[in-house]
Amino acid sequence: MSDPAKVRRHAERIRELVASLVRSQIKDPRLGMITITDARITADLRDATVFYTVLGDAAAQASTAAALESAKGMLRSTVGKALGLRHSPTLTFVLDDVQDQVKHIDDLLAAARTADAEVQRLAAKSSYAGDAQPYRVEEEDEDGEDAPAQDEDDDEPRAGERR
């Protein structure tokens, strides 16, 4: 196994290399407005996963995926030479759907805000179902001292008490 810091450095280098190669070397017309967002490499430095986003609809995403798939060999050889590793890592391209996840989370937060506003509106109109103070409180004497709570059946001795 490799050092984790070395793996991170190689992953960052792969991300930078692929981004510059996509910008300068790939002349495929199917390639859309692409951004390389992240790259991860396994600990044995054999397999690399490159995450990307595409500006556009599903057709633009599909055509960009096809363009990256066709340029995978050239990208792999260039990355392998630049890294100087014994084995060039295989590249796997994965569409990073961050924007869809962000939109979904924003929709969930908006729904939660409206539900909270509805609860607050209903709570403002509500009143207690029972007493405002549902717990038993000791009553005060005229002297201002707390009177002990008296049970109704004080005449009978309790268990373990003598008279």
Side-chain angles (χ1 to χ4, degrees):
M1 293 293 152
S2 294
D3 178 31
K6 181 180 177 183
V7 171
R8 273 195 309 273
R9 279 194 314 270
H10 282 305
E12 182 65 24
R13 183 75 177 127
I14 289 172
R15 185 185 66 79
E16 292 169 357
L17 284 169
V18 170
S20 68
L21 290 171
V22 164
R23 186 174 49 247
S24 63
Q25 299 291 324
I26 300 178
K27 303 297 182 198
D28 196 332
R30 298 176 292 177
L31 196 64
M33 296 290 292
I34 184 172
T35 303
I36 305 298
T37 57
D38 194 16
R40 296 185 185 147
I41 190 166
T42 58
D44 62 357
L45 305 176
R46 296 269 180 143
D47 298 313
T49 305
V50 179
F51 295 92
Y52 67 95
T53 60
V54 178
L55 185 63
D57 58 350
Q61 292 174 356
S63 65
T64 299
L68 288 173
E69 200 62 36
S70 69
K72 187 186 286 189
M74 185 271 298
L75 292 171
R76 180 180 179 195
S77 66
T78 308
V79 166
K81 288 175 189 171
L83 291 178
L85 297 174
R86 177 175 291 172
H87 301 282
S88 295
T90 59
L91 298 177
T92 305
F93 292 97
V94 176
L95 180 64
D96 196 1
D97 58 349
V98 172
Q99 299 300 326
D100 296 337
Q101 292 175 359
V102 166
K103 184 179 179 328
H104 178 67
I105 289 172
D106 285 343
D107 292 344
L108 290 175
L109 288 173
R113 274 189 220 103
T114 57
D116 286 348
E118 180 67 18
V119 167
Q120 289 295 328
R121 188 183 65 76
L122 292 174
K125 296 178 184 178
S126 65
S127 62
Y128 292 107
D131 293 334
Q133 174 56 280
Y135 301 104
R136 183 177 292 174
V137 215
E138 294 183 6
E139 298 176 12
E140 291 186 9
D141 284 344
E142 295 86 34
D143 303 346
E145 297 178 9
D146 289 339
Q150 295 184 357
D151 291 338
E152 295 175 8
D153 52 342
D154 272 345
D155 296 341
E156 297 179 23
R158 294 189 179 123
E161 287 186 4
R162 291 187 186 171
R163 282 206 175 193

